[in-house]
Amino acid sequence: MATSAEENEQQNQNPKTLNEPINNENEMEIEEDEDYEEEEEEEVKPMSKESRLRAERDNLSALVNRLKKEKVSLRVHDLIIKGNTKTKDSVIEAEIEEILKEANSMQGLIQAAGIANARLRNLEIFESVDITLDSGPSELPGTANVVVNIVETKNPLTGDLGIFTKPEARSWSLEGSLKLKNLLGYADIWDGSVAYGWDQASEISAGIALPRFRGLKNPVTARAMLLSQDWLKFSSYKERMMGISLGLISTRNHNLAYNLTWRNLTDPTQMCSKSIRGQLGHSLLSALKYTFKIDMRDSPLRPTRGYAFASTSHIGGLSPDSRSLRFLRQDFDFRYAIPLGFCKSALNFGVSAGLIFPWGSGFRNMASPLPERYYMGGHTSPVSTLAGTTTLLGFRTRGLGPSEQRRVIVEKTEGETTADAPGRDIIGGDLAVTAFADLSFDLPLKLFRDAGIHGHIFACTGSLNKLTENEYKNLSFQKFKDSFRSSAGVGVIIPTKLLRVEVNYCYILKQLEHDHGKTGVQFSFSSPI
């Protein structure tokens, strides 16, 4: 009885304890009803278009982040080529198959597909290239098929016509070319070109380029040319040359070519210096030329960051013919671009050096081949070229020495003799060094910036010295220092689709007695690429 009384008393003190289960069930029912009402409300309200787009972007962003952070294993099962009616499958496969099958992840495959796309476009025979990834066979998980859809060029014949300036051979020239693409289906390009210079220079050449031919890994190139050049204005001789060039190795950084050329130097005026007179007549050039080149600049035409380096080794005289020109020539070229952070400005500077020397018995007393020597001057900007020590703005093509007094043959009763003649012959140099600094910047008008028109301030210097025929004994540090010429100026560069126009005002800071430098406005026309 006492126990029952105590229990009744506890129940009276805690009335909620008995009713708690009932209240919880009611609360759960109420919460369930509220959730049900909320679900009904969500079902009634459709998701807006903006919300769906936002959700899709979030999902895509999450997928991209996952691909960046996580390595998704994936390999190529098959390469499927579509759209090629003329181009051989083997040519396309040789260009891209190796790089695609090396990829072992989704990230690597996407990157390899981008490189493969660029390689096919560089063949210059397709109007468009589209590379897509498809799932591989269901029984082989983790595989993908690469589908290459191409559209071949409808018109295989293209032509170009332009007026250019080139410092290494012609001051001004009118040039035209025709290209016939993919005639054999091997991505072959047949081309012919004709050039005529205002300084009595003419050139006819034809060539073929085969990037992939019957399993060969290296491109095959061949070119035949006929050149006639009148140097009477500066060197009182004419040059005629015909020959062929064969490309043996051609990769992104390496190039090896063999040249076989028959050259003839004549003096129609019978008036030239001793150095030129000794090399008149026929000669054979049998030579190998190797070039190592690396270009890490963001643009070859207007670099704002990065560096470039080129090394060219040239050995002539591989033929046993006694008339073969025997020489060794080595060139180095370095460029560097530094962004300044305002008005798209950048500071470019470069240093180039070259040396040529004959080889063979008694090479110390021999003269280096006249046409292979270094000649400075010209109009082409040194920023956009990576081809050795040739350009010195403000000086004419072949506009600075070394030079020698011209001589004329005089007939007398006792026989023939020579006497001084008016003018001097530019005979070129065996040791060449050049350097430049160039500050490029955007012009203030938006119209100019959108068109790519920009300005620059430049300074350049260069030196030429003769070393052969024992002249190296007379070269001292002071003589080498005094041999430098220099110029500075400001200009505007106008890039177009047809050509690149450069208008510069050049001021000659230093020149020697017989140099051809002139302060004033100088124009340059060059290729847009």
Side-chain angles (χ1 to χ4, degrees), residues 48 87 119 205 235 289 352:
S48 64
T87 309
R119 285 187 176 183
S205 65
S235 298
K289 187 177 182 180
S352 304

Side-chain angles (χ1 to χ4, degrees), residues 80-89 92 96 120 125-131 147-153:
I80 303 171
I81 302 172
K82 297 180 179 180
N84 58 317
T85 58
K86 194 172 186 180
T87 309
K88 311 290 185 184
D89 286 350
I92 301 174
I96 65 176
L120 293 179
I125 61 172
F126 302 127
E127 287 188 0
S128 65
V129 179
D130 185 24
I131 299 179
V147 182
V148 181
N149 291 281
I150 62 174
V151 177
E152 294 178 335
T153 303

